Amino acid sequence: MTEWIDRFPGLVALHAPVRDRLVASARVIEVPADTVIFGPGRPPENLLLLLDGQVRVQQIAENGREIVLYRVHSGESCVLTTACLLAFEDYTAEGIAETDLRAVAIPRASFDEAMSTSPEFRRFVFAAYSKRITDLFLTVEEIAFGRVDSRLAHKLLELAGDRAVVPVTHGNLAAELGTAREVISRQMAEFQRRLWVEQKRGQVTIIDRPALEAFARANPI
Amino acid sequence: MTEWIDRFPGLVALHAPVRDRLVASARVIEVPADTVIFGPGRPPENLLLLLDGQVRVQQIAENGREIVLYRVHSGESCVLTTACLLAFEDYTAEGIAETDLRAVAIPRASFDEAMSTSPEFRRFVFAAYSKRITDLFLTVEEIAFGRVDSRLAHKLLELAGDRAVVPVTHGNLAAELGTAREVISRQMAEFQRRLWVEQKRGQVTIIDRPALEAFARANPI
DNA sequence: ATCCATCGGTGACAAGATCACTGAACCGGC
DNA sequence: GCCGGTTCAGTGATCTTGTCACCGATGGAT
């Protein structure tokens, strides 16, 4: 059961001593869905490597409005928190378990030691940073310049994965896109009128995926 | 002339050997204004620590629209590029010298070595990351939820510093805020009507700073 | 002086945000 | 079952912002 490390392609290149020390100090933890993992006042204690489940990282404004910044999926790490973890600065964002999680928790000291001793570990960490940062830049571009209908179509397909039923409220979707609930309601009504989706309270069902995908393709970003 | 290192508070704590090796491998470079320092196709070669001048980092969409992500000021480092620097991923953003620059260039190998040997250097790097990332999160929030008039007022004051004359075009300001030039034109016309600013081609002069500041204070973010 | 690129202004209209409600759906407890 | 509270969704009115299509002004450069 120490072979969680094979789930992270960037870590398989670690040399044996580094790998062993990391495995020895890490603990596999389980976290129930909807737990706030870190946030203002709850600084992250560990570097988390997600084995199962996903984490939603969102920014919350003073007026209570929310915007989803990014998600961490299984096989990825909550790496942006490490900056704050090591710099002792506090995050304005919060991380929430969207599902039950199984994750590897690497304590601050072990993280620091691995950063010190292993070029491969540094590569792993910086590659994760790099991905997150370029993603964030694209998010900024999308919010600034993208159209709501196009972004909503993409987001629905993303949230659906290969399933048809997406368990989200209009309010959730508004937070995903950084817009207002009413805007989502009107846009979803239009998608429904076109018979692309059906709606129930707290749930959207994609009933014409090809059409939705065609629309998404025709309206990139 | 090796005492550039004292310009970076986070680096004064470096132990002598680390410090000396860093100083030995680094070169002070000068870059003329408007140089593209890194960008798609021009991956960053070095970690830059800015001694004088400032760098604008912006994202460019396919349709040509731009949005300013953040600025690096003197005494700061282009640290987000290090992720891409070490991960060999390419950036979708570009960095432009807004003024003539004087900067310390730390080669990739020296950066990696310092990360390896010095906890203090790691702290320096992660603290810089932390600041940038939390700033980016605030930028996202601002773009998603902020009003243009308020954001424009803040941006004008920020760009002005303690001077009254700000050499920007309406197009520049639009890119700063991720909005359209026409929107800036109309909003600036309103500020002018209120006698807060005067305008010339490519230049804005703040003529009633107290009023502009009061407006900015009354409309946070 | 003339040419030309850039910059700024404007009207009309579309899209999105906000406000103020309303009713519907769901979830507990009784 | 029924009730009551809460969350969710729908809608009209209104304001702000974004887009499109233009035009004229400005300030170099030759």
Side-chain angles (χ1 to χ4, degrees):
Chain A
M1 244 316 292
T2 64
E3 299 321 322
W4 56 260
I5 211 164
D6 296 326
R7 298 278 299 274
F8 298 90
L11 293 182
V12 295
L14 288 188
H15 293 162
V18 179
R19 175 193 172 102
D20 293 344
R21 286 188 60 80
L22 214 53
V23 168
S25 67
R27 288 169 304 106
V28 174
I29 61 174
E30 311 220 340
V31 176
D34 300 323
T35 307
V36 177
I37 300 172
F38 60 86
R42 281 179 217 73
E45 299 284 312
N46 303 289
L47 168 65
L48 288 189
L49 306 178
L50 271 191
L51 296 168
D52 296 296
Q54 62 183 352
V55 175
R56 183 178 72 239
V57 178
Q58 59 191 10
Q59 176 83 351
I60 306 196
E62 308 76 38
N63 55 27
R65 289 190 63 173
E66 302 173 6
I67 182 164
V68 175
L69 296 165
Y70 58 88
R71 283 190 167 71
V72 184
H73 301 94
S74 68
E76 300 177 340
S77 60
C78 273
V79 76
L80 288 199
T81 63
T82 59
C84 310
L85 193 143
L86 289 195
F88 303 105
E89 256 200 53
D90 50 343
Y91 234 40
T92 59
E94 67 175 15
I96 297 181
E98 284 199 299
T99 63
D100 291 342
L101 304 182
R102 219 162 51 85
V104 180
I106 299 182
R108 177 181 302 187
S110 305
F111 175 82
D112 196 51
E113 187 197 317
M115 282 298 284
S116 159
T117 53
S118 170
E120 292 78 16
F121 189 77
R122 288 196 288 277
R123 173 72 60 84
F124 170 77
V125 168
F126 282 114
Y129 264 103
S130 186
K131 171 109 175 55
R132 285 274 170 260
I133 291 167
T134 53
D135 280 0
L136 260 180
F137 288 177
L138 289 176
T139 301
V140 169
E141 181 181 322
E142 193 179 306
I143 294 175
F145 304 137
R147 294 177 52 89
V148 166
D149 53 2
S150 145
R151 297 206 293 137
L152 179 56
H154 281 96
K155 184 58 73 176
L156 280 174
L157 289 167
E158 177 195 325
L159 293 175
D162 50 5
R163 287 173 305 283
V165 176
V166 189
V168 283
T169 67
H170 291 182
N172 296 150
L173 289 166
E176 294 284 344
L177 303 184
T179 181
R181 182 192 56 79
E182 297 92 321
V183 175
I184 299 292
S185 286
R186 284 190 258 260
Q187 198 58 60
M188 286 300 297
E190 175 62 19
F191 284 4
Q192 188 174 39
R193 197 191 61 70
R194 297 182 195 170
L195 302 179
W196 294 350
V197 300
E198 275 173 356
Q199 302 187 70
K200 289 201 331 194
R201 179 190 175 86
Q203 176 178 308
V204 178
T205 307
I206 298 175
I207 58 174
D208 189 349
R209 179 181 288 260
L212 193 56
E213 282 172 342
F215 178 77
R217 256 197 316 282
N219 300 79
I221 290 198
Chain B
M1 242 320 289
T2 63
E3 299 321 323
W4 54 261
I5 211 165
D6 296 326
R7 298 279 298 275
F8 299 89
L11 294 181
V12 296
L14 288 189
H15 293 163
V18 180
R19 175 192 173 104
D20 293 345
R21 287 188 59 81
L22 214 53
V23 168
S25 66
R27 288 170 304 106
V28 174
I29 62 174
E30 311 220 341
V31 176
D34 300 323
T35 307
V36 177
I37 300 173
F38 60 86
R42 282 179 216 71
E45 299 284 312
N46 302 289
L47 168 65
L48 289 189
L49 307 179
L50 271 191
L51 295 168
D52 296 296
Q54 62 182 354
V55 175
R56 184 178 71 238
V57 178
Q58 60 191 11
Q59 176 84 350
I60 306 196
E62 307 75 41
N63 54 28
R65 290 190 63 174
E66 302 174 6
I67 182 164
V68 176
L69 296 165
Y70 59 88
R71 282 189 166 72
V72 184
H73 300 94
S74 69
E76 300 177 340
S77 60
C78 273
V79 76
L80 288 199
T81 63
T82 58
C84 310
L85 192 141
L86 289 194
F88 302 105
E89 257 200 54
D90 49 342
Y91 235 40
T92 58
E94 68 175 17
I96 297 180
E98 285 199 299
T99 63
D100 290 342
L101 304 182
R102 219 161 53 83
V104 181
I106 299 182
R108 178 179 301 187
S110 304
F111 175 82
D112 196 51
E113 187 196 318
M115 282 299 283
S116 159
T117 52
S118 169
E120 293 77 15
F121 190 78
R122 288 197 289 276
R123 173 72 60 84
F124 170 77
V125 168
F126 282 115
Y129 263 102
S130 186
K131 171 108 175 55
R132 286 274 170 259
I133 291 168
T134 52
D135 280 1
L136 259 181
F137 288 177
L138 289 175
T139 301
V140 170
E141 181 181 321
E142 191 178 314
I143 294 174
F145 303 137
R147 294 178 52 91
V148 166
D149 53 1
S150 145
R151 297 206 293 137
L152 178 56
H154 282 97
K155 184 57 74 176
L156 281 174
L157 290 167
E158 177 195 325
L159 293 174
D162 50 6
R163 286 174 306 282
V165 177
V166 189
V168 284
T169 68
H170 290 183
N172 296 150
L173 289 167
E176 294 283 345
L177 303 184
T179 181
R181 182 191 56 78
E182 298 92 319
V183 175
I184 299 291
S185 287
R186 283 189 264 262
Q187 199 58 59
M188 287 300 297
E190 175 62 19
F191 283 4
Q192 188 173 41
R193 199 191 60 70
R194 296 182 196 170
L195 302 179
W196 295 351
V197 300
E198 274 173 357
Q199 301 188 70
K200 288 201 330 193
R201 181 189 176 87
Q203 177 179 308
V204 178
T205 307
I206 298 175
I207 58 173
D208 188 350
R209 179 181 288 260
L212 193 56
E213 283 172 341
F215 178 77
R217 256 197 315 281
N219 300 78
I221 291 194

